[in-house]
Amino acid sequence: MIGTGSSNTTRQRKIREQCGSCPNRFSKDKRQVVAEDSDSTEVESSTDEEDRWKEVARSADIPADYYNIQKLVKYIKAGNQTATIVSLCCLKDYDLSTQINQFAIQDIGGLDVLVNILECSDTKCCLGALTVLSEITLNIDIRKNIVDLDGIPLIVDILNSSMKDLKTMAAETLANVSKVRLARKYVRTCGGIPKLVDLVDIKLSILQTPRDQLNADDLESLNMARAGARALWTLADSKHNMEQMRKSGIVPLMARLLKSCHIDVVIPIMGTVQKCSSEPKFQLAITTEGMIADIVTHLSAECTDLKMEGSTAIYKCAFDETTRDLVREAGGLEPLVTIIKDKTVRENKPLLRGATGAIWMCAISDVNVSMLDNMRTVNHLVALLSDEDDEVLTNVTGALSECVRFQSNRIALRQAGGLPLMVALLNSSHAPLLENLAKSLKECAEDPDSMRILEDLDAVRLIWSLLKNTSARVQAHAAYAICPCVRNANDSAELVRSLVGAMELVVGLLKSRDIMVLSAVCAAIATIAQDQTNLAILSDLRVIYKLADLVNTTDDLLRMNLAAAVAACACFGNNTEELGRLRTVTPIVTYMTSDNPLVHRSTAMALEKLSMDPQNCITMHQSGVVPFLLECIGSTNKELQLAAAGCLRNIRELALRAEEYLLKIDDD
């Protein structure tokens, strides 16, 4: 007899004695464990829709199988070992993937019985129970019940078995149950992850041999590896689990499994690679282990799931230049473009997101953009601008923002009719999309013909309105986009003044605490202030006082644009003297210590304007600016040369006037 017991003596497992493989496993409240494992992607409770659906399913006509299954469960409860095995075998003959049959087992207390069986020493009973559990745990409600019945430690312990088929079914069950957050936590704390990693450690020869050519033992090993890969795929939803996998040596095993000819093994391991590629340590490992070439190979597979996981993995890893180069060298750009131009995958949003995201990241490298141009990628991306998915649109506009850094692609985008579509998207509320739109339109505004279209579409007003967005990154990129729009507009001065409250909005953003926003707004002010009327309005808005509050910064990007804004605003009225009174001169002189030549250029331009005031010249000289200016005169940048020379001239003229004055006093 096995220890299944009767229905009256069914044990509740909410408080179970500690097992050897899981010390202190239940010393914490369940709610506390859930709170600690905060990197979950699944909600613990069922949705209202699921509950309503189950009520409808139960109220429907109950088939005869429902009662037959419950009879078998009763036999398992009350029968001896032989009756239990026979009943389990009969139970497997039913379609346990249907919910009504799953309800039949659950309603009569069959889950507790099946979990009890896992504690027995009879391998046939355990195998039968696991086979049933692996099918019925497709139901989210049953998964949670298995966790509540403390079934996870028992299933993990079975992974120590010497029988491959038993370990396979245990892994298959864990693959389903681990979709519950608490289950993922328990698998890790029970030491299940290293055991699952061991399951996927099989010979490369088995992975590369077709199934019909494998012997029975190798076939069992392959099935075990597939089940282990599926379980790890599910467990990778937790960052803690990913780190445990890495420490357990999964990285070289993933590289080996990706070379498999068996798609049912490659898909879960590719899914695991994709999830793990969000972690920096895995990103480096994926590159160093040579997985990129294998991932690229699978981009041409017929299986859409495989292409989706592979392209998403590239999307996450290709922020690194080395990875982008490896993707190109492995021939990965062409299959990615093939995916996005295939109209049959337009409804497959995960695949489309992965492919467009991968193209976006790869397009950061100029060499890759050149190859993408040969495949008319811009035209294919424009065709996706009418998609309804925000993430797809974000990736598409991100890819376009990288491509239109080159004039040829600005022309291609304009000729493909992409500008009206992009301007229409400015009404979106999705912040990452708006950020990429601003970046794209900033580059397009550098093209005079594109700028005429943007003016006709009233795009400048829409871009300016993005300064009101709550996202700092959207604000920053919108401010940067304003610069070429104002600079290249037909009547830029009138354009700015025609936008009600535009300059007040820009000046108001100088109160932001975000360095990127401050830098972008300073760049916009430097451009707007080129017109004297606009500069007068900015001065009335006390812009120089807000600029003076920012001069004590060490950020080179802010220094560069802030100095440019000071240079543009200093030459109006008494702004030069006022900036000196506000003690901005000495901090700006310190900008010359930067290693960035662009900072030197804008700083020299600001100092030249500030040196128009004699008192500022004295302050500059006392601050030790002369050696820096002398060095800048030797620069190859003409603007920097002229500004430095102009500043030195003003300082020298003041010195000469002072010398003449002193000589005159001596003569008197």
Side-chain angles (χ1 to χ4, degrees):
M1 289 287 292
I2 62 173
T4 58
S6 66
S7 58
N8 294 328
T9 59
T10 299
R11 290 182 297 132
Q12 295 298 319
R13 300 175 180 273
K14 299 226 173 164
I15 301 176
R16 179 188 292 277
E17 294 180 2
Q18 298 175 6
C19 68
S21 64
C22 187
N24 301 320
R25 180 163 52 89
F26 296 102
S27 61
K28 298 182 179 180
D29 186 284
K30 178 180 174 181
R31 288 170 296 182
Q32 184 181 350
V33 175
V34 172
E36 289 180 357
D37 201 21
S38 58
D39 54 354
S40 163
T41 58
E42 184 171 342
V43 179
E44 193 66 20
S45 59
S46 335
T47 63
D48 293 338
E49 288 77 8
E50 287 173 339
D51 292 336
R52 285 197 295 270
W53 192 94
K54 284 186 283 188
E55 289 174 6
V56 172
R58 290 177 187 275
S59 63
D61 292 335
I62 299 177
D65 287 353
Y66 179 91
Y67 299 106
N68 293 335
I69 289 172
Q70 291 198 333
K71 287 180 182 178
L72 290 173
V73 173
K74 290 179 180 178
Y75 291 144
I76 295 173
K77 286 182 178 181
N80 56 23
Q81 185 171 339
T82 303
T84 298
I85 295 173
V86 172
S87 299
L88 287 169
C89 291
C90 294
L91 201 56
K92 289 188 293 181
D93 292 337
Y94 289 91
D95 183 7
L96 299 179
S97 62
T98 60
Q99 285 217 310
I100 192 65
N101 290 345
Q102 294 166 356
F103 289 149
I105 297 174
Q106 186 178 12
D107 292 348
I108 202 172
L111 295 181
D112 197 290
V113 176
L114 292 170
V115 171
N116 272 335
I117 292 175
L118 300 180
E119 289 186 296
C120 74
S121 58
D122 189 280
T123 55
K124 291 182 179 179
C125 289
C126 283
L127 183 60
L130 283 172
T131 304
V132 174
L133 286 171
S134 66
E135 292 192 51
I136 65 176
T137 47
L138 294 171
N139 184 306
I140 185 173
D141 227 21
I142 291 178
R143 294 174 199 154
K144 293 171 183 174
N145 284 337
I146 298 297
V147 176
D148 290 339
L149 292 168
D150 300 342
I152 299 297
L154 300 177
I155 301 172
V156 169
D157 284 342
I158 292 173
L159 294 174
N160 295 320
S161 171
S162 59
M163 295 181 60
K164 292 180 181 178
D165 53 353
L166 200 57
K167 291 191 286 188
T168 299
M169 295 316 302
E172 290 282 2
T173 305
L174 286 176
N176 293 333
V177 178
S178 295
K179 291 178 182 177
V180 176
R181 174 174 52 185
L182 194 57
R184 293 195 290 272
K185 173 82 172 181
Y186 283 162
V187 172
R188 181 177 73 251
T189 55
C190 291
I193 290 177
K195 298 173 185 178
L196 289 168
V197 171
D198 287 341
L199 297 190
V200 300
D201 187 7
I202 63 172
K203 298 177 182 177
L204 183 60
S205 57
I206 297 176
L207 294 169
Q208 295 182 332
T209 304
R211 282 183 180 274
D212 54 5
Q213 298 178 21
L214 293 173
N215 59 42
D217 186 60
D218 289 345
L219 196 58
E220 280 189 347
S221 297
L222 183 63
N223 290 334
M224 183 177 68
R226 183 200 65 222
R230 285 192 64 240
L232 291 169
W233 186 11
T234 307
L235 289 166
D237 279 327
S238 164
K239 291 182 181 180
H240 300 297
N241 288 351
M242 283 191 273
E243 180 61 18
Q244 187 68 44
M245 290 178 199
R246 190 185 65 81
K247 291 179 178 178
S248 300
I250 196 175
V251 173
L253 297 179
M254 290 194 301
R256 184 194 304 172
L257 290 166
L258 285 176
K259 300 180 185 297
S260 175
C261 64
H262 306 286
I263 297 299
D264 56 347
V265 175
V266 176
I267 289 175
I269 210 64
M270 183 73 85
T272 308
V273 170
Q274 181 266 119
K275 288 180 180 178
C276 292
S277 59
S278 59
E279 295 298 303
K281 291 179 181 178
F282 270 100
Q283 290 164 353
L284 178 63
I286 287 169
T287 302
T288 54
E289 287 289 338
M291 292 188 218
I292 297 297
D294 293 315
I295 293 173
V296 167
T297 300
H298 293 300
L299 290 177
S300 302
E302 293 183 3
C303 177
T304 56
D305 288 342
L306 195 54
K307 290 192 285 190
M308 183 268 290
E309 300 291 354
S311 59
T312 306
I314 292 174
Y315 175 23
K316 292 180 178 180
C317 293
F319 74 95
D320 176 68
E321 185 178 359
T322 303
T323 305
R324 295 195 294 270
D325 292 341
L326 290 172
V327 172
R328 182 184 67 254
E329 292 164 3
L333 297 178
E334 187 173 352
L336 288 171
V337 175
T338 301
I339 291 171
I340 68 168
K341 71 180 183 181
D342 185 358
K343 294 182 179 180
T344 61
V345 304
R346 295 292 169 85
E347 297 304 316
N348 189 337
K349 300 306 178 186
L351 175 56
L352 209 52
R353 290 184 206 120
T356 52
I359 291 173
W360 174 15
M361 290 295 105
C362 289
I364 295 174
S365 295
D366 294 354
V367 182
N368 289 348
V369 173
S370 179
M371 292 190 67
L372 290 170
D373 290 348
N374 296 331
M375 293 178 266
R376 294 171 53 84
T377 306
V378 170
N379 296 73
H380 300 311
L381 290 170
V382 169
L384 293 173
L385 285 173
S386 56
D387 198 273
E388 67 279 2
D389 187 273
D390 282 342
E391 290 187 40
V392 172
L393 290 171
T394 299
N395 294 345
V396 169
T397 51
L400 286 172
S401 71
E402 298 298 337
C403 291
V404 295
R405 291 182 289 118
F406 302 92
Q407 177 62 18
S408 59
N409 286 329
R410 294 171 190 158
I411 296 171
L413 176 66
R414 186 180 72 246
Q415 292 176 344
L419 290 175
L421 295 171
M422 293 174 72
V423 172
L425 290 173
L426 287 172
N427 294 306
S428 170
S429 59
H430 189 57
L433 171 57
L434 294 174
E435 179 186 335
N436 287 343
L437 282 169
K439 289 166 64 178
S440 302
L441 293 174
K442 169 184 174 291
E443 299 295 342
C444 292
E446 299 287 357
D447 175 46
D449 292 331
S450 297
M451 188 60 217
R452 301 292 80 77
I453 296 174
L454 292 176
E455 285 187 278
D456 293 340
L457 295 169
D458 198 20
V460 180
R461 180 182 59 81
L462 293 171
I463 294 172
W464 215 296
S465 68
L466 295 182
L467 296 177
K468 300 177 183 178
N469 196 280
T470 54
S471 167
R473 293 188 63 84
V474 173
Q475 291 175 348
H477 286 291
Y480 279 127
I482 286 170
C483 298
C485 289
V486 171
R487 190 167 55 246
N488 298 321
N490 277 330
D491 188 353
S492 59
E494 185 58 36
L495 173 65
V496 175
R497 290 193 292 275
S498 68
L499 301 173
V500 179
M503 283 187 272
E504 290 88 338
L505 182 57
V506 170
V507 174
L509 283 176
L510 288 174
K511 296 179 181 178
S512 173
R513 295 184 179 180
D514 188 277
I515 292 291
M516 189 176 180
V517 172
L518 293 172
S519 175
V521 171
C522 286
I525 288 172
T527 306
I528 296 167
Q530 297 303 315
D531 176 77
Q532 287 298 305
T533 306
N534 288 343
L535 177 53
I537 297 172
L538 289 172
S539 297
D540 289 342
L541 293 170
R542 301 174 64 83
V543 69
I544 61 169
Y545 295 92
K546 293 180 172 61
L547 293 174
D549 290 338
L550 303 175
V551 291
N552 294 301
T553 179
T554 57
D555 184 84
D556 273 357
L557 187 60
L558 179 54
R559 283 176 165 183
M560 178 180 71
N561 292 324
L562 176 57
V566 169
C569 296
C571 56
F572 180 83
N574 66 339
N575 284 355
T576 302
E577 294 85 347
E578 194 64 18
L579 284 165
R581 190 187 66 79
L582 292 170
R583 299 183 179 182
T584 62
V585 176
T586 301
I588 291 177
V589 169
T590 63
Y591 296 179
M592 299 299 287
T593 60
S594 170
D595 296 328
N596 190 334
L598 295 177
V599 176
H600 296 164
R601 185 188 66 179
S602 61
T603 302
M605 293 169 66
L607 292 174
E608 181 189 15
K609 296 293 189 297
L610 291 171
S611 64
M612 297 295 182
D613 176 62
Q615 185 58 47
N616 290 345
C617 286
I618 296 171
T619 306
M620 288 179 200
H621 190 274
Q622 292 174 343
S623 300
V625 75
V626 173
F628 293 108
L629 294 174
L630 289 172
E631 185 178 346
C632 290
I633 289 177
S635 170
T636 56
N637 187 297
K638 184 171 288 189
E639 288 182 331
L640 177 55
Q641 282 181 333
L642 292 173
C647 187
L648 282 172
R649 180 195 62 205
N650 293 336
I651 294 173
R652 182 57 183 158
E653 282 182 357
L654 176 63
L656 288 173
R657 288 198 299 271
E659 187 176 347
E660 290 173 1
Y661 177 73
L662 291 173
L663 289 172
K664 185 177 179 181
I665 291 176
D666 290 341
D667 291 342
D668 292 341

